[in-house]
Amino acid sequence: MPISNKRLLIAAELLGQVKSVADIGTDHAFLPIHLIREGIAEKVIACDIAEGPLSVAKANIIKYGLAEKIELRLANGLLGLAPNEVEAITILGMGGETIADILTDAPWVKKSDLILILQPMSCDDRLREYLFREGFEILTEVGVESQNRFYTVMKVRFDGNLPKVGSEYKYIGKLLENPNDAAITFVKNRLKSLKSCMDDIKNVERKQELFKELEIVVHEIEKFLVKYI
Ligand SMILES: C[S@@+](CC[C@H](N)C(=O)[O-])C[C@H]1O[C@@H](n2cnc3c(N)ncnc32)[C@H](O)[C@@H]1O
């Protein structure tokens, strides 16, 4: 089963070689199967909150003869894992707020030798805000296009510091450090939605503070984007 989903392929690439990884919200287990077949991981714990996806995952794992390398667990978020069980965690294909909630519920993820690969389907700004506030460093971010929608895949690690970042960080993170077409389109779309939000609030008196904040953010993003327009 060669996987074609670019979100998953980029996540696997960012992960790099590891002994053990937990894939949270594994669904069909395509990512765990890819990680084992490509020799990226030696062992995967594939977790999902629902029985239905886990039975699909089980059928796929058996089909590829990987039952000894991929263990299935029915669990909410990270609650089915013990601290130190894995070297890395992948959480892909969920909303940014859900991903932040899953991390919040497992405070043991705050350790510097644990790699997190996170791919929000929405609310990436809320996820970055959470990561920033809680002392997680985004090591790298890669833009990806899938079925005409644009996403970010982040490689993250806890370091306990508050990074020195500009006002645009919450909205575009480190996407333009890897300025592929998907990243540039993602950032252009973000700029459009921020401008449209500013239009909506420009005459609302109690939103003037937010309006001024967004003006600065938009100006910063335009400065970054100017090279790519
Ligand atoms: C849209 S699928 C994503 C599948 C795969 N990770 C991907 O990116 O293609 C989301 C999966 O996450 C599972 N899920 C949702 N909330 C969860 C939670 N709190 N803990 C574990 N799994 C969860 C759902 O049951 C579903 O199988």
Side-chain angles (χ1 to χ4, degrees):
M1 178 216 57
I3 55 170
S4 56
N5 188 318
K6 286 191 233 158
R7 288 181 304 107
L8 305 185
L9 289 172
I10 299 275
E13 219 175 285
L14 284 186
L15 178 63
Q17 208 79 23
V18 285
K19 280 211 169 84
S20 54
V21 56
D23 183 41
I24 309 304
T26 199
D27 202 350
H28 30 58
F30 288 167
L31 181 64
I33 292 169
H34 177 76
L35 294 178
I36 298 291
R37 279 167 54 100
E38 295 302 310
I40 295 169
E42 291 173 20
K43 158 104 193 153
V44 185
I45 303 175
C47 304
D48 206 285
I49 198 169
E51 300 263 12
L54 281 184
S55 59
V56 175
K58 187 172 180 185
N60 286 333
I61 290 164
I62 289 171
K63 184 167 152 196
Y64 288 97
L66 297 176
E68 294 205 343
K69 305 256 181 191
I70 304 175
E71 183 187 335
L72 288 169
R73 289 190 194 169
L74 180 66
N76 182 358
L78 293 158
L79 302 181
L81 283 176
N84 301 323
E85 243 192 312
V86 287
E87 278 177 23
I89 291 167
T90 53
I91 314 179
L92 277 54
M94 292 186 209
E97 284 181 331
T98 305
I99 296 175
D101 287 345
I102 288 175
L103 297 174
T104 303
D105 289 343
W108 55 265
V109 295
K110 288 186 165 182
K111 52 185 187 135
S112 60
D113 57 353
L114 181 71
I115 289 294
L116 305 174
I117 305 293
L118 310 175
Q119 185 272 304
M121 298 300 272
S122 59
C123 301
D124 55 289
D125 51 343
R126 304 267 173 84
L127 178 58
R128 277 192 213 90
E129 198 171 33
Y130 162 84
L131 295 171
F132 174 81
R133 193 180 60 234
E134 296 298 323
F136 290 92
E137 182 189 7
I138 299 176
L139 301 170
T140 186
E141 248 188 284
V142 177
V144 59
E145 182 268 332
S146 183
Q147 294 171 334
N148 247 346
R149 290 192 60 193
F150 296 87
Y151 304 101
T152 177
V153 189
M154 307 172 181
K155 181 171 188 170
V156 171
R157 190 187 52 186
F158 179 75
D159 74 356
N161 297 322
L162 291 184
K164 274 200 184 132
V165 290
S167 57
E168 78 294 342
Y169 180 79
K170 169 179 161 185
Y171 297 99
I172 62 168
K174 293 191 169 175
L175 270 167
L176 290 181
E177 287 185 9
N178 297 299
N180 62 15
D181 288 350
I184 293 168
T185 306
F186 185 108
V187 174
K188 283 183 178 167
N189 290 346
R190 176 53 47 83
L191 193 59
K192 250 188 244 163
S193 66
L194 288 171
K195 283 181 172 174
S196 134
C197 172
M198 285 173 70
D199 267 351
D200 292 344
I201 65 172
K202 72 178 174 226
N203 295 320
V204 183
E205 205 176 317
R206 65 193 164 79
K207 299 252 165 119
Q208 287 312 295
E209 205 176 315
L210 175 61
F211 182 85
K212 281 189 188 119
E213 259 176 59
L214 292 183
E215 235 175 5
I216 297 170
V217 170
V218 161
H219 178 69
E220 287 304 311
I221 296 178
E222 279 173 340
K223 265 189 350 203
F224 280 108
L225 260 186
V226 81
K227 291 189 242 178
Y228 308 108
I229 297 175

